[in-house]
Amino acid sequence: MIQKLNISFIGGGNMAHSLIHGLIDNGADVSRIKIGEPNHSRRKELSKSFKVEIHEDNLSSIKNSEIIVLAVKPHIVETVITDLTEKISHSKTLVLSIAAGITIQNIESWSRPDIPIIRAMPNTPSLVKAGITALCANSYVTLNQKKKAESIMSAVGTVLWLEDEKLMNIITAISGSGPAYFFYFMESLVQAAILEGIDEKLAKKLVLETTIGAAQLASETQESLSILREKVTSRGGTTEAAIEVFEAYDVNEVIKKAVSAARIRAKNLAIPSGDNNG
Ligand SMILES: NC(=O)c1ccc[n+]([C@@H]2O[C@H](COP(=O)([O-])OP(=O)(O)OC[C@H]3O[C@@H](n4cnc5c(N)ncnc54)[C@H](OP(=O)(O)O)[C@@H]3O)[C@@H](O)[C@H]2O)c1
């Protein structure tokens, strides 16, 4: 299916780059991929990476496309979709938006209410094909269009469908922003290791391998996360000493508050701010 998709990306930034990379690796035909990207230096970078058609203006980039991927910052979606609407050929063109916080209803109100729209929330591990994407469709999306959207997103990782779009904000806060939480924790662990006398290279290796190993163990075993944690935490041992400190500072509560802040921010993302994405 992926080989014959005529697909346009509006915005050729980080996420579009990951997706195009995944598509090409999975056998997509480069002559069927187009990008609309107004930033000159970005266009130059993209043309070094991919032999696809790259346009300065979005309208030229959507010619003959059956799928338009909106991969611009959330506060730009309204302008972009308003400009494209009259060229979108009704039910034949699927709009696939990856913009955090922009609802299907937002896009319908900025374009036409009868356009097939899929809202997606991917994450940055898509760059190494280890992403997870939640998808949600409006009632105009056909089964075939759903399959096409799924084939695009599954080129860069796992895909799941949501019946209830309301879950998108919390999913943004968990898996959209989630990689950054783990990087934050990993950075802190590297800093702690360095402070305790380990050199930076070794500290990074220890932390990376431990993170990958813990994730792999958690995904391959039937045991719950709590059991896995308890298995490392022997009474009076080193892990228990560390966990006691986490608990004394109520890290669990801090994480809940952080996720809640991200979810609330996701709701307001159509409004410009210094922050830049999901
Ligand atoms: N990064 C993540 O972790 C993540 C996760 C899930 C979802 N998302 C969503 O994915 C979307 C893209 O994020 P990103 O990280 O790829 O952003 P990005 O790297 O900034 O890419 C957006 C690109 O769109 C370009 N652009 C600006 N105005 C445009 C216009 N009118 N028409 C076409 N292109 C235009 C930007 O150029 P300039 O740089 O010149 O403005 C930039 O190259 C966002 O809506 C974000 O919410 C991101």
Side-chain angles (χ1 to χ4, degrees):
M1 175 172 276
I2 223 166
Q3 290 84 352
K4 291 196 173 158
L5 280 183
N6 289 307
I7 173 165
S8 295
F9 287 82
I10 305 300
N14 298 315
M15 289 307 293
H17 197 281
S18 305
L19 289 171
I20 295 167
H21 190 266
L23 283 171
I24 293 174
D25 261 16
N26 276 269
D29 178 352
V30 284
S31 70
R32 292 171 186 264
I33 299 175
K34 301 190 185 87
I35 309 174
E37 170 58 66
N39 182 315
H40 175 70
S41 54
R42 190 73 200 151
R43 284 202 306 281
K44 246 173 106 180
E45 275 173 43
L46 286 163
S47 64
K48 278 187 206 152
S49 306
F50 308 117
K51 301 269 169 278
V52 302
E53 250 183 65
I54 306 169
H55 297 266
E56 183 174 1
D57 73 298
N58 294 332
L59 274 179
S60 314
S61 76
I62 66 162
K63 252 187 213 157
N64 304 324
S65 279
E66 56 199 305
I67 301 186
I68 298 173
V69 181
L70 297 178
V72 290
K73 291 292 186 210
H75 65 277
I76 294 174
V77 174
E78 181 175 3
T79 316
V80 160
I81 195 75
T82 309
D83 291 349
L84 295 181
T85 297
E86 64 182 73
K87 295 284 175 200
I88 294 177
S89 73
H90 195 45
S91 61
K92 286 199 198 107
T93 318
L94 170 69
V95 173
L96 172 59
S97 168
I98 63 166
I102 303 298
T103 64
I104 290 175
Q105 209 249 319
N106 285 146
I107 299 174
E108 286 170 348
S109 70
W110 297 329
S111 53
R112 283 198 313 242
D114 55 355
I115 291 177
I117 300 167
I118 290 182
R119 179 178 173 192
M121 176 43 58
N123 64 5
T124 55
S126 300
L127 192 56
V128 291
K129 298 186 185 158
I132 180 154
T133 302
L135 295 171
C136 189
N138 73 359
S139 58
Y140 297 97
V141 178
T142 64
L143 189 61
N144 195 31
Q145 286 172 324
K146 279 188 176 174
K147 283 186 184 155
K148 286 177 182 171
E150 201 172 313
S151 74
I152 294 170
M153 303 315 299
S154 59
V156 292
T158 304
V159 172
L160 56 92
W161 284 95
L162 298 177
E163 287 301 321
D164 184 359
E165 192 192 353
K166 287 198 195 88
L167 291 174
M168 275 294 186
N169 290 333
I170 184 59
I171 284 177
T172 303
I174 298 292
S175 57
S177 300
Y181 311 157
F182 287 98
F183 299 143
Y184 183 93
F185 189 76
M186 288 156 75
E187 277 179 272
S188 302
L189 212 48
V190 168
Q191 283 165 17
I194 293 170
L195 206 66
E196 298 280 348
I198 293 181
D199 76 67
E200 190 176 347
K201 199 171 157 210
L202 178 57
K204 198 173 165 201
K205 187 168 179 59
L206 289 168
V207 169
L208 279 181
E209 294 300 330
T210 305
T211 308
I212 294 166
Q216 200 171 331
L217 177 60
S219 76
E220 286 181 15
T221 177
Q222 300 296 322
E223 286 175 321
S224 70
L225 295 172
S226 305
I227 294 289
L228 289 172
R229 175 176 50 75
E230 281 161 17
K231 280 191 169 176
V232 194
T233 318
S234 37
R235 195 168 286 278
T238 56
T239 314
E240 190 183 67
I243 301 265
E244 275 171 11
V245 177
F246 287 153
E247 291 194 340
Y249 284 90
D250 220 346
V251 172
N252 189 285
E253 198 53 35
V254 170
I255 291 170
K256 286 180 192 151
K257 285 199 169 117
V259 166
S260 182
R263 175 185 52 74
I264 292 164
R265 183 70 190 111
K267 256 176 82 180
N268 302 319
L269 266 185
I271 302 157
S273 86
D275 193 13
N276 65 357
N277 59 50

